[in-house]
Amino acid sequence: MDYLAKLPSGIKVTMAVENMEGKSYFEHRTDVKVPSASVIKVPILMSLMEKAQLNEINLSKVHRLTNAEKAGGSGVLMNASEGKKLTIREIAQEMIRTSDNTATNILIREIGMETINQNLTKWGATKTRLNRVMMDVEAVKQGRENYVNALEINALLRMIYDKKVANPILCDEMISMLKNCEDETTIPSQLPKDLEIAHKTGTLAYVRGDAAIVFTTQPFVMSIFIEGFDKEATAEKIIGDLAKICWEGLK
C-alpha cells in the first residue's frame, strides 16, 4: 500500500483487513502483538456473554457502585454517585459505549481474568491477553501490559458476527453494543455516516487502535493499530485514511 510507504519513519502501523470467511485483503505486521488499550474489552464482553449463556452471570443482576471501584481514564461511572444501581448489562454497555474503565474492572472481577484468558486460548488466540485491569499504573511500570493481535481480534469479531460465541441472541446484543461505540474519530471518521460499523477503539499515550465489523453489502473486518505518533490526532487521521482506502477498495 503506497500510503504506508509515505508515513513518517517513526510511525508503526499494524493492521489486518479480511472478509467474513477469513480471506485476507490486506495485512501489515500481523505477526506481532501490540498494546491493546481498550480493544481488549471485546474479549471481556465475549467472556461475559459466555458466562451469561451458562447462567453463571445474570445480566439483569443489580450492582451497587462503590467509590473504591472507580477507575480514572475514559467513561462516565467515575463521576457517578456512590451506591448508584446498574445492571450487569448496563455496565457492559458502558464498557463499550464510553469505554468505561470502572465498568470494565467491575466485569473483570465478575468474570475472572483467568477465565477471560482461558477463553482467548479456547478461541484460538495466542497473542491476545488480558494481563492487568484498566488504569493499573503499577502493573504497567512492572511491564504487565494487555496485548492484542490484529488477526486474532478480527477472528473474535467474526465469531460474534457468525454467532459462534454464547448464543445468537447474545451475539446480536454484542453487535448492538459495538455499533453504539461513541468514539468515531478512527475507523468511522471518513466513512459514510449511514454505514453501520460495530467497533471498539483503544487509546493509550503510546497506541491508538480500532477493530471493526464494517457492514457493507459484503461485510468485512478490519483492525488497525498505530504506534510511534506524537499527537493522538495524527494516529486517528492515519486510521481514518486507511479505513477509507480499504472501504473504497471493498465496497
Side-chain angles (χ1 to χ4, degrees):
M1 192 185 285
D2 291 346
Y3 180 89
L4 294 181
K6 292 171 186 167
L7 290 174
S9 59
I11 298 271
K12 282 196 294 187
V13 175
T14 305
M15 68 180 288
V17 187
E18 301 168 290
N19 72 6
M20 287 325 209
E21 281 72 54
K23 180 194 167 194
S24 176
Y25 292 131
F26 184 77
E27 293 182 20
H28 187 67
R29 296 181 75 244
T30 50
D31 56 330
V32 303
K33 60 183 184 182
V34 294
S36 69
S38 289
V39 176
I40 197 69
K41 293 168 186 176
V42 172
I44 295 171
L45 180 66
M46 292 168 70
S47 293
L48 174 69
M49 295 308 192
E50 286 263 89
K51 284 257 188 192
Q53 159 76 1
L54 296 167
N55 294 319
E56 292 174 5
I57 286 180
N58 180 354
L59 297 176
S60 302
K61 184 180 96 170
V62 174
H63 178 90
R64 282 179 183 269
L65 185 66
T66 67
N67 285 335
E69 64 195 1
K70 290 181 182 179
S74 53
V76 295
L77 294 187
M78 61 180 162
N79 300 316
S81 54
E82 183 163 43
K84 181 178 174 68
K85 292 179 182 177
L86 298 130
T87 64
I88 297 296
R89 175 177 277 109
E90 288 168 335
I91 290 168
Q93 287 167 344
E94 279 313 310
M95 174 176 75
I96 303 300
R97 185 179 76 87
T98 62
S99 204
D100 197 293
N101 288 324
T102 302
T104 306
N105 290 350
I106 291 167
L107 294 179
I108 291 170
R109 282 192 292 275
E110 285 279 336
I111 303 160
M113 194 178 293
E114 195 176 329
T115 298
I116 294 162
N117 287 323
Q118 284 170 351
N119 282 339
L120 281 163
T121 300
K122 177 179 80 175
W123 297 327
T126 58
K127 296 182 173 80
T128 301
R129 282 293 177 272
L130 177 69
N131 294 315
R132 62 169 178 82
V133 295
M134 303 302 112
M135 304 307 290
D136 188 342
V137 179
E138 285 308 307
V140 176
K141 282 180 187 166
Q142 293 161 14
R144 276 190 290 125
E145 185 55 275
N146 298 324
Y147 289 102
V148 74
N149 170 269
L151 291 173
E152 289 178 359
I153 202 75
N154 278 359
L156 295 179
L157 289 172
R158 269 199 306 272
M159 281 184 74
I160 300 172
Y161 178 86
D162 290 334
K163 300 179 169 45
K164 288 183 176 169
V165 61
N167 65 43
I169 290 168
L170 292 173
C171 284
D172 284 340
E173 190 167 348
M174 283 190 272
I175 285 174
S176 293
M177 288 185 193
L178 291 163
K179 283 180 179 176
N180 206 28
C181 175
E182 268 190 357
D183 183 359
E184 297 193 333
T185 56
T186 46
I187 285 174
S189 63
Q190 297 180 46
L191 301 182
K193 294 297 167 220
D194 60 347
L195 183 61
E196 287 193 304
I197 301 169
H199 70 123
K200 183 69 200 83
T201 54
T203 312
L204 287 168
Y206 43 89
V207 67
R208 190 76 168 96
D210 198 356
I213 304 168
V214 182
F215 288 87
T216 53
T217 47
Q218 301 238 289
F220 63 94
V221 281
M222 68 163 75
S223 300
I224 309 173
F225 298 87
I226 311 296
E227 298 171 275
F229 53 88
D230 294 330
K231 295 183 191 148
E232 214 173 279
T234 304
E236 288 164 358
K237 183 175 186 308
I238 293 168
I239 294 173
D241 287 345
L242 289 167
K244 187 182 181 190
I245 291 165
C246 294
W247 174 75
E248 285 180 341
L250 295 173
K251 67 180 177 182

